[in-house]
Structure formats: C-alpha cells, structure tokens
Amino acid sequence: MPVSPESFRELFGSFPAQVAIITAVGADGRPRGFTCTTTCAVSAAPPLLLICVDENSQTLPAILAGRGFVANVLAAPGEEASRIFAGKAGDKFDRVAWEPSRRAGGAPILTDVVLAYAECRVVQTVTAGDHRIIVGEVEGSAVFPREPLLYGKGEYHAWPVVPVAVGTGARAGA
C-alpha cells in the first residue's frame, strides 16, 4: 500500500532542494511560470534536463504549445520571486525583471534573481500520476557568480558556506 500524499510531501519536503522558476510563452503570447523544486540533469550528450509539471498547472499548456521553456534556477535573492510564482496571481511577470529567451520561444529569463538558467526545447513528455515529466534539450545556458537558493522543511535557505575538516578520520555512519 503506497504512502499517503501528505506523507509523500513530508518525505520530499524534509531535505533541501534547489528552487527554479519554469517559464514559457502561451499560444496567446503571454508569459507563464511556476515555482518548481523538481529539475534534474538527465544526460550530458545530448544535454537534457527534466522538469515535473502538475497536470493542472496553467504553465503546462504554454510549455506544450511553444515546445520550449526556461528553467530559471534561483539565487539567494530569488526568495520573493519564488513566492510570487508559487501563487496563482496573473501579474507575476509585472513584479520581476525579465528578458525573452532567444532559444526557447521567448520564454522569460528572470535576469536579476537567477543563479543559472537553461533554455530548453521540449523533446519528450511522459505522464506520471498527476504530473507530466518534460524532458528538454538545453540549447542555451548561463551561470552567474551568486549563491543558490534552497528550499526544505517548509523554509527557504541560502546556501551555507561551511568549511569541512578534511582528514579527521570521521566516517559516515561511524
């Protein structure tokens, strides 16, 4: 018997995850986006990544119609943007700085709050439960010298820079 949806959310909410805002442009030409903690590298050759999108997401039709999206991986200053894009407000893009992608059908790149971004072309979709797994080929990217934003246990965290002692003899599980 599988665990309950609540237990599943608690399980995956218990450890830190990167935070991204996935953006696309709908058939009506309007930008769409949502906050996502499910992005993953799939392959280096060809360069593929995956995202998971709720079937009820307002952004899913835009991703599928435009066949492209941008994965905006957030830097520590991106907490407010993450909260904005986690909601259903229609004015999300009025509240953040962005520029259109040249490689992902004009999908917004959130210039001021990203650690990195990947401009992707959709190459595969898979229905899995109440979500759609979307595999994108990375056709453009950039990385900036900023600290990552993490989310775990219901809270945002800036990447902790903690020195680790080397050669202390400590072992995992010891």
Side-chain angles (χ1 to χ4, degrees):
M1 175 180 209
V3 299
S4 69
E6 295 78 20
S7 293
F8 187 79
R9 281 191 220 53
E10 181 182 20
L11 170 66
F12 280 91
S14 69
F15 51 88
Q18 70 182 0
V19 183
I21 295 174
I22 307 303
T23 59
V25 174
D28 61 0
R30 292 182 46 208
R32 303 277 194 277
F34 71 97
T35 299
C36 179
T37 57
T38 310
T39 59
C40 181
V42 174
S43 167
L48 302 175
L49 64 77
L50 70 77
I51 59 172
C52 295
V53 185
D54 188 301
E55 287 286 351
N56 296 315
S57 168
Q58 296 175 6
T59 306
L60 180 59
I63 293 170
L64 298 176
R67 305 293 301 161
F69 63 91
V70 173
N72 293 276
V73 180
L74 297 183
E79 180 178 339
E80 182 181 352
S82 175
R83 291 181 190 280
I84 290 168
F85 282 83
K88 302 285 185 195
D91 65 345
K92 295 175 185 180
F93 290 93
D94 295 342
R95 300 162 64 187
V96 296
W98 64 277
E99 63 185 47
S101 164
R102 289 178 290 185
R103 295 179 185 93
I109 298 170
L110 308 180
T111 54
D112 292 350
V113 295
V114 295
L115 167 71
Y117 65 83
E119 300 167 283
C120 301
R121 176 178 56 85
V122 175
V123 295
Q124 184 177 6
T125 65
V126 178
T127 299
D130 61 359
H131 277 63
R132 191 83 56 101
I133 299 167
I134 299 177
V135 178
E137 183 168 16
V138 180
E139 296 188 334
S141 67
V143 178
F144 302 93
R146 300 173 178 157
E147 297 300 322
L149 180 65
L150 300 175
Y151 185 80
K153 296 190 176 185
E155 297 180 4
Y156 290 92
H157 305 275
W159 180 264
V161 179
V162 180
V164 177
V166 178
T168 62
R171 291 184 176 182

Coordinates of all heavy atoms in Angstrom, one line a residue, residues 44-103:
A44 N 24.4 14.4 -20.4 CA 25.3 15.4 -20.9 C 25.4 15.4 -22.4 O 25.8 16.4 -23.0 CB 26.7 15.3 -20.2
A45 N 25.2 14.3 -23.1 CA 25.4 14.2 -24.5 C 24.2 13.3 -25.0 O 24.3 12.1 -25.0 CB 26.7 13.5 -24.9
P46 N 23.2 13.9 -25.5 CA 22.9 15.3 -25.7 C 22.6 15.9 -24.3 O 22.1 15.2 -23.4 CB 21.7 15.4 -26.6 CG 21.0 14.1 -26.4 CD 22.0 13.1 -26.1
P47 N 22.7 17.2 -24.2 CA 22.4 17.9 -22.9 C 20.9 17.9 -22.6 O 20.2 18.7 -23.3 CB 23.0 19.3 -23.1 CG 23.0 19.5 -24.5 CD 23.2 18.2 -25.2
L48 N 20.4 17.1 -21.7 CA 19.0 17.0 -21.4 C 18.8 17.3 -19.9 O 19.5 16.8 -19.1 CB 18.4 15.6 -21.8 CG 18.6 15.1 -23.2 CD1 18.1 13.7 -23.3 CD2 17.8 16.0 -24.1
L49 N 17.6 17.9 -19.6 CA 17.2 18.0 -18.2 C 15.7 17.7 -18.2 O 15.0 17.7 -19.2 CB 17.5 19.4 -17.6 CG 16.8 20.7 -18.2 CD1 15.4 20.8 -17.7 CD2 17.6 21.9 -17.7
L50 N 15.2 17.4 -17.0 CA 13.8 17.2 -16.9 C 13.2 18.1 -15.8 O 13.9 18.5 -14.9 CB 13.5 15.7 -16.6 CG 13.8 15.1 -15.2 CD1 12.9 15.5 -14.1 CD2 13.9 13.6 -15.4
I51 N 11.9 18.4 -16.0 CA 11.1 19.1 -15.0 C 9.8 18.3 -14.8 O 9.4 17.5 -15.7 CB 10.8 20.5 -15.5 CG1 10.0 20.5 -16.8 CG2 12.1 21.4 -15.5 CD1 9.5 21.9 -17.2
C52 N 9.2 18.5 -13.7 CA 7.9 17.8 -13.5 C 6.9 18.9 -13.3 O 7.1 19.8 -12.5 CB 8.0 16.9 -12.2 SG 9.1 15.5 -12.5
V53 N 5.8 18.8 -14.0 CA 4.7 19.8 -14.0 C 3.4 19.2 -13.7 O 3.0 18.2 -14.3 CB 4.7 20.5 -15.4 CG1 3.7 21.7 -15.4 CG2 6.0 21.0 -15.9
D54 N 2.7 19.8 -12.7 CA 1.4 19.4 -12.3 C 0.4 19.5 -13.6 O 0.5 20.4 -14.3 CB 0.8 20.3 -11.2 CG -0.5 19.8 -10.6 OD1 -1.5 19.6 -11.4 OD2 -0.5 19.5 -9.4
E55 N -0.4 18.4 -13.8 CA -1.3 18.4 -14.9 C -2.3 19.6 -14.9 O -2.8 20.0 -15.9 CB -2.1 17.1 -14.9 CG -1.3 15.9 -15.4 CD -1.0 15.9 -16.8 OE1 -1.5 16.7 -17.6 OE2 -0.2 15.0 -17.2
N56 N -2.5 20.2 -13.7 CA -3.4 21.3 -13.6 C -2.7 22.7 -13.7 O -3.3 23.7 -13.5 CB -4.2 21.3 -12.3 CG -5.1 20.1 -12.2 OD1 -5.8 19.8 -13.2 ND2 -5.1 19.3 -11.1
S57 N -1.4 22.7 -13.9 CA -0.7 23.9 -14.0 C -1.1 24.8 -15.2 O -1.3 24.2 -16.3 CB 0.8 23.6 -14.1 OG 1.6 24.7 -14.5
Q58 N -1.2 26.1 -15.0 CA -1.5 27.0 -16.0 C -0.3 27.1 -17.0 O -0.5 27.6 -18.1 CB -1.9 28.3 -15.5 CG -3.2 28.3 -14.6 CD -3.5 29.6 -14.0 OE1 -2.8 30.6 -14.2 NE2 -4.5 29.7 -13.1
T59 N 0.8 26.7 -16.6 CA 2.0 26.8 -17.4 C 2.2 25.6 -18.4 O 2.8 25.8 -19.5 CB 3.3 27.0 -16.6 OG1 3.1 28.1 -15.7 CG2 4.5 27.2 -17.4
L60 N 1.6 24.5 -18.0 CA 1.8 23.3 -18.8 C 1.3 23.5 -20.3 O 2.1 23.2 -21.2 CB 1.1 22.1 -18.2 CG 1.2 20.8 -19.0 CD1 2.6 20.3 -19.2 CD2 0.4 19.7 -18.2
P61 N 0.1 24.0 -20.5 CA -0.3 24.2 -21.9 C 0.7 25.1 -22.7 O 1.0 24.9 -23.9 CB -1.6 24.9 -21.8 CG -2.2 24.5 -20.5 CD -0.9 24.4 -19.6
A62 N 1.3 26.1 -22.0 CA 2.2 27.0 -22.7 C 3.5 26.3 -23.0 O 4.0 26.5 -24.1 CB 2.5 28.2 -21.8
I63 N 4.0 25.4 -22.2 CA 5.2 24.6 -22.5 C 4.9 23.7 -23.7 O 5.7 23.7 -24.6 CB 5.6 23.8 -21.2 CG1 6.1 24.7 -20.1 CG2 6.7 22.8 -21.6 CD1 6.3 24.0 -18.8
L64 N 3.8 23.1 -23.6 CA 3.5 22.1 -24.7 C 3.2 22.8 -26.0 O 3.6 22.4 -27.1 CB 2.3 21.2 -24.3 CG 2.6 20.4 -23.1 CD1 1.3 19.6 -22.7 CD2 3.7 19.4 -23.3
A65 N 2.5 24.0 -26.0 CA 2.2 24.7 -27.2 C 3.4 25.3 -27.8 O 3.6 25.3 -29.1 CB 1.2 25.8 -26.9
G66 N 4.3 25.9 -27.0 CA 5.5 26.5 -27.5 C 6.7 25.6 -27.7 O 7.7 25.9 -28.4
R67 N 6.5 24.4 -27.2 CA 7.6 23.3 -27.3 C 8.9 23.8 -26.7 O 10.0 23.3 -27.0 CB 7.8 22.9 -28.7 CG 6.5 22.4 -29.4 CD 5.9 21.1 -28.8 NE 6.9 20.0 -28.9 CZ 6.8 18.9 -28.2 NH1 5.8 18.8 -27.3 NH2 7.6 17.9 -28.2
G68 N 8.9 24.8 -25.8 CA 10.1 25.2 -25.1 C 9.8 25.8 -23.8 O 8.7 26.2 -23.5
F69 N 10.9 26.0 -23.0 CA 10.8 26.6 -21.6 C 12.1 27.0 -21.2 O 13.1 26.6 -21.7 CB 10.1 25.6 -20.6 CG 10.9 24.3 -20.4 CD1 11.9 24.3 -19.4 CD2 10.7 23.2 -21.2 CE1 12.6 23.1 -19.2 CE2 11.5 22.0 -21.0 CZ 12.4 22.0 -20.0
V70 N 12.1 27.8 -20.1 CA 13.4 28.2 -19.5 C 13.3 27.7 -18.0 O 12.3 27.9 -17.3 CB 13.7 29.7 -19.5 CG1 14.9 30.1 -18.7 CG2 13.9 30.2 -21.0
A71 N 14.3 27.0 -17.6 CA 14.5 26.6 -16.2 C 15.4 27.7 -15.6 O 16.6 27.8 -15.8 CB 15.1 25.2 -16.0
N72 N 14.8 28.6 -14.8 CA 15.5 29.7 -14.1 C 15.8 29.2 -12.7 O 15.0 29.2 -11.8 CB 14.6 30.9 -14.0 CG 14.3 31.5 -15.3 OD1 15.0 32.3 -15.8 ND2 13.1 31.2 -15.8
V73 N 17.1 28.7 -12.5 CA 17.5 28.2 -11.1 C 17.8 29.5 -10.3 O 18.6 30.3 -10.7 CB 18.7 27.3 -11.3 CG1 19.1 26.8 -9.9 CG2 18.4 26.1 -12.2
L74 N 17.1 29.6 -9.1 CA 17.2 30.8 -8.4 C 18.4 30.9 -7.5 O 18.9 29.9 -6.9 CB 16.0 30.9 -7.5 CG 14.6 31.1 -8.3 CD1 13.5 31.3 -7.3 CD2 14.7 32.2 -9.3
A75 N 18.9 32.1 -7.4 CA 20.0 32.5 -6.4 C 19.3 33.0 -5.1 O 18.1 33.2 -5.1 CB 20.8 33.6 -7.0
A76 N 20.1 33.1 -4.1 CA 19.6 33.5 -2.8 C 18.6 34.7 -2.8 O 17.6 34.7 -2.1 CB 20.7 33.7 -1.8
P77 N 18.9 35.8 -3.7 CA 17.9 36.9 -3.7 C 16.6 36.6 -4.4 O 15.7 37.4 -4.5 CB 18.7 37.9 -4.5 CG 20.1 37.5 -4.6 CD 20.1 36.1 -4.4
G78 N 16.4 35.3 -4.8 CA 15.2 35.0 -5.5 C 14.0 34.5 -4.7 O 13.0 34.0 -5.2
E79 N 14.1 34.5 -3.3 CA 13.0 34.0 -2.5 C 11.7 34.7 -2.8 O 10.7 34.0 -2.9 CB 13.4 34.2 -1.0 CG 12.3 33.7 -0.1 CD 12.7 33.8 1.4 OE1 13.9 33.9 1.7 OE2 11.7 33.8 2.2
E80 N 11.7 36.0 -2.9 CA 10.4 36.7 -3.2 C 9.8 36.3 -4.5 O 8.6 36.0 -4.6 CB 10.6 38.2 -3.1 CG 9.3 39.0 -3.3 CD 9.4 40.5 -3.3 OE1 10.5 41.0 -3.0 OE2 8.4 41.1 -3.7
A81 N 10.7 36.2 -5.5 CA 10.2 35.7 -6.8 C 9.6 34.3 -6.7 O 8.6 34.0 -7.3 CB 11.3 35.7 -7.8
S82 N 10.3 33.4 -5.9 CA 9.8 32.1 -5.8 C 8.4 32.1 -5.2 O 7.5 31.3 -5.6 CB 10.7 31.3 -4.9 OG 10.2 30.0 -4.6
R83 N 8.2 32.9 -4.2 CA 6.9 33.0 -3.5 C 5.8 33.6 -4.5 O 4.7 33.1 -4.5 CB 6.9 33.9 -2.3 CG 7.7 33.3 -1.2 CD 7.8 34.2 0.1 NE 8.7 33.8 1.1 CZ 8.4 32.8 2.0 NH1 7.3 32.2 1.9 NH2 9.4 32.5 2.9
I84 N 6.2 34.5 -5.3 CA 5.3 35.1 -6.3 C 4.8 34.0 -7.3 O 3.6 33.8 -7.6 CB 5.9 36.3 -7.1 CG1 6.1 37.5 -6.1 CG2 5.1 36.7 -8.3 CD1 7.0 38.6 -6.7
F85 N 5.8 33.2 -7.8 CA 5.5 32.3 -8.8 C 4.9 31.0 -8.3 O 4.4 30.2 -9.0 CB 6.7 32.0 -9.7 CG 7.0 33.0 -10.7 CD1 7.6 34.2 -10.4 CD2 6.5 32.9 -12.0 CE1 7.9 35.2 -11.3 CE2 6.7 33.9 -12.9 CZ 7.4 35.1 -12.6
A86 N 4.9 30.8 -6.9 CA 4.2 29.7 -6.3 C 2.7 29.9 -6.2 O 1.9 29.0 -6.1 CB 4.8 29.4 -4.9
G87 N 2.3 31.2 -6.4 CA 0.9 31.6 -6.4 C 0.2 31.5 -7.7 O 0.8 31.2 -8.7
K88 N -1.0 31.9 -7.7 CA -1.8 31.9 -9.0 C -2.1 33.3 -9.5 O -2.9 33.5 -10.4 CB -3.2 31.3 -8.7 CG -3.1 29.9 -8.2 CD -2.8 28.9 -9.3 CE -2.8 27.5 -8.7 NZ -2.1 26.6 -9.6
A89 N -1.4 34.3 -9.0 CA -1.7 35.7 -9.5 C -1.4 35.8 -11.0 O -0.5 35.2 -11.5 CB -0.8 36.7 -8.7
G90 N -2.1 36.7 -11.6 CA -2.0 36.9 -13.1 C -0.9 37.9 -13.4 O -0.5 38.0 -14.6
D91 N -0.4 38.6 -12.4 CA 0.6 39.7 -12.7 C 2.0 39.3 -12.3 O 2.8 40.1 -12.1 CB 0.2 41.0 -12.0 CG 0.2 40.8 -10.5 OD1 0.3 39.7 -10.0 OD2 0.2 41.9 -9.8
K92 N 2.3 38.0 -12.3 CA 3.6 37.6 -11.8 C 4.8 38.3 -12.5 O 5.8 38.7 -11.9 CB 3.8 36.1 -12.0 CG 2.8 35.2 -11.2 CD 3.0 33.8 -11.6 CE 2.0 32.9 -10.9 NZ 2.1 31.5 -11.3
F93 N 4.7 38.4 -13.8 CA 5.8 38.9 -14.6 C 5.9 40.5 -14.5 O 6.9 41.0 -14.9 CB 5.7 38.5 -16.1 CG 6.0 37.0 -16.2 CD1 5.0 36.1 -16.2 CD2 7.3 36.5 -16.3 CE1 5.2 34.7 -16.3 CE2 7.6 35.2 -16.4 CZ 6.5 34.3 -16.4
D94 N 4.9 41.1 -14.0 CA 5.0 42.6 -13.7 C 5.8 42.9 -12.5 O 6.2 44.0 -12.3 CB 3.6 43.1 -13.5 CG 2.7 43.1 -14.7 OD1 3.2 42.9 -15.8 OD2 1.5 43.2 -14.5
R95 N 6.1 41.8 -11.7 CA 6.8 42.0 -10.4 C 8.2 41.5 -10.4 O 8.9 41.6 -9.3 CB 6.0 41.3 -9.3 CG 4.5 41.9 -9.3 CD 3.5 41.0 -8.6 NE 3.8 40.8 -7.2 CZ 3.1 40.0 -6.4 NH1 2.1 39.3 -6.9 NH2 3.4 39.9 -5.2
V96 N 8.7 41.1 -11.5 CA 10.1 40.7 -11.6 C 10.7 41.2 -13.0 O 10.0 41.4 -13.9 CB 10.3 39.1 -11.6 CG1 9.8 38.6 -10.3 CG2 9.6 38.5 -12.7
A97 N 12.1 41.4 -12.9 CA 12.8 41.8 -14.2 C 13.0 40.5 -15.0 O 13.3 39.5 -14.5 CB 14.1 42.4 -13.8
W98 N 12.8 40.7 -16.3 CA 13.0 39.5 -17.2 C 13.3 40.0 -18.6 O 13.0 41.1 -19.0 CB 11.8 38.5 -17.2 CG 10.5 39.1 -17.7 CD1 9.6 39.8 -17.0 CD2 9.9 38.9 -19.0 NE1 8.5 40.1 -17.8 CE2 8.7 39.5 -19.0 CE3 10.4 38.2 -20.1 CZ2 7.9 39.5 -20.1 CZ3 9.6 38.2 -21.2 CH2 8.3 38.8 -21.2
E99 N 13.9 39.1 -19.4 CA 14.1 39.3 -20.8 C 13.7 38.0 -21.5 O 13.8 36.9 -21.0 CB 15.5 39.7 -21.1 CG 16.5 38.6 -20.7 CD 18.0 39.1 -20.9 OE1 18.3 40.2 -20.5 OE2 18.8 38.3 -21.5
P100 N 13.2 38.1 -22.8 CA 12.8 36.9 -23.5 C 14.0 36.1 -24.0 O 15.0 36.6 -24.4 CB 12.1 37.5 -24.7 CG 12.6 38.9 -24.9 CD 13.0 39.4 -23.5
S101 N 13.9 34.8 -23.9 CA 14.9 33.9 -24.4 C 14.9 33.9 -25.9 O 13.9 34.0 -26.5 CB 14.5 32.4 -23.9 OG 15.2 31.5 -24.7
R102 N 16.1 33.8 -26.4 CA 16.2 33.7 -27.9 C 16.1 32.3 -28.4 O 16.0 32.1 -29.6 CB 17.6 34.4 -28.3 CG 17.6 35.9 -28.1 CD 18.9 36.4 -28.5 NE 19.8 36.0 -27.4 CZ 21.1 36.3 -27.3 NH1 21.6 37.1 -28.2 NH2 21.8 35.9 -26.4
R103 N 16.2 31.3 -27.5 CA 16.3 29.9 -27.9 C 15.1 29.1 -27.5 O 14.9 28.0 -28.0 CB 17.5 29.3 -27.4 CG 18.8 29.9 -28.0 CD 20.0 29.2 -27.5 NE 21.2 29.9 -28.0 CZ 21.8 30.8 -27.3 NH1 21.4 31.3 -26.2 NH2 22.9 31.4 -27.9

